[in-house]
Amino acid sequence: MEKPTFPPYLALFIGVAAVSTSAIFVKLASAPPAIIATYRLIFSVLLTLPFLFFTKGVFQEIRRLQWQQWAWGSLSGAFLASHFVLWFESLNYTSVASSTVLVTLQPLFAFIGGYFFFKERVNIIGILGGLLAIGGSCVIGWGDLQVGGKALFGDILALLGALTVTAYWLIGQHIRRDVSMLTYTLLVYSTSSFFLLLYDGFMGYPLQGYPASDWGWFFCLALIPTLLGHTIFNWVIKWLNTSTISMSILGEPVGTSILAYFILGEKVTLPQYLGGAIILSGIYLFIRFNSHSKGEETDESATYET
């Protein structure tokens, strides 16, 4: 594998800082969550298209894509679309802090997926760390239950958003071994936009008639957390695996909570403090002390290694 032209961990830090703005922009927009997600992806595609004419060999690579790569890319786009709808919808029911902490439980799902699909084993400390992280999410859920059932429903949506984005990263880790970042990004963002447009039509959401400020937030979502966040992750995933990226995204709630405090005036409650700390501690144990032992190696499982 060729050497990266930019330090992957530094790129990862920039990406996490960028995605920390996502929940803030969603909260500031007044359009339905699905519409916000739709225009976030459409604008991302439009901002990415000019790079086709400045990047050598992309058109040839797109023409050479095999049907399996198209299929995996489309499935990845479907998971990304589902992630955005679930997470954005959760912000209508629960706080920015709760939603962001819960949606970043991605490492837990990543390791569970590795166990079932890739025959990876988890040691006892890793298991205890996973259980501790789940306990932290229960603390946040219990605190929101005291506020009202709607907040708990928002927490559940955020957890489902964590599950779908983990599937998105796992597929990306597979495809990016043989497909360039630009080609993969265009494939995923385009198919994700298509699925979101279908969902909007099914739900009866109008595609126009929103205030000018919303269009500004749509553009900000495309430029900062998507192009400077998710697109950077799509580049980094060629050199770092899904678990590493998912672990780094745990820094997102910190940045988001700080921005929510200063921009939205949201206060962080005691259950959110405690639950967030427990989640971060549990996932740290899960990642730090987990040792993998692979079962019988298959070509497919080997494809997902970095």
Side-chain angles (χ1 to χ4, degrees), residues 41-236:
L41 270 301
I42 290 176
F43 284 0
S44 296
V45 172
L46 294 177
L47 290 172
T48 305
L49 282 176
F51 290 97
L52 284 173
F53 303 97
F54 300 100
T55 306
K56 184 179 178 180
V58 176
F59 287 107
Q60 292 81 353
E61 182 183 23
I62 293 175
R63 286 197 296 267
R64 290 197 305 267
L65 287 178
Q66 300 176 359
W67 72 265
Q68 295 96 331
Q69 292 170 318
W70 283 104
W72 280 115
S74 298
L75 183 61
S76 181
F79 277 122
L80 182 61
S82 301
H83 161 69
F84 283 140
V85 171
L86 289 166
W87 182 34
F88 290 2
E89 191 69 47
S90 76
L91 292 169
N92 286 333
Y93 297 94
T94 189
S95 69
V96 167
S98 292
S99 176
T100 309
V101 168
L102 291 169
V103 84
T104 50
L105 276 173
Q106 299 162 31
L108 183 58
F109 293 115
F111 278 96
I112 293 174
Y115 175 81
F116 284 104
F117 296 109
F118 310 126
K119 311 300 182 184
E120 296 174 352
R121 298 293 184 264
V122 182
N123 62 26
I124 187 62
I125 299 181
I127 293 174
L128 291 175
L131 293 175
L132 188 62
I134 294 173
S137 67
C138 291
V139 171
I140 291 179
W142 179 257
D144 279 348
L145 184 61
Q146 309 310 304
V147 176
K150 287 186 176 181
L152 184 62
F153 177 66
D155 294 341
I156 294 172
L157 292 178
L159 280 171
L160 291 174
L163 179 61
T164 52
V165 79
T166 301
Y168 161 69
W169 294 127
L170 287 170
I171 295 173
Q173 185 174 333
H174 169 54
I175 297 179
R176 278 285 285 121
R177 291 181 62 87
D178 304 308
V179 178
S180 71
M181 184 271 290
L182 182 57
T183 298
Y184 174 66
T185 295
L186 281 172
L187 173 59
V188 171
Y189 290 175
S190 298
T191 54
S192 185
S193 300
F194 172 74
F195 285 120
L196 286 167
L197 285 170
L198 289 180
Y199 180 79
D200 294 336
F202 177 78
M203 297 298 294
Y205 294 134
L207 296 177
Q208 56 185 358
Y210 302 103
S213 59
D214 275 5
W215 295 97
W217 300 129
F218 299 159
F219 180 81
C220 288
L221 279 163
L223 179 63
I224 301 176
T226 307
L227 294 187
L228 297 179
H230 279 265
T231 301
I232 286 180
F233 295 151
N234 288 339
W235 178 81
V236 168

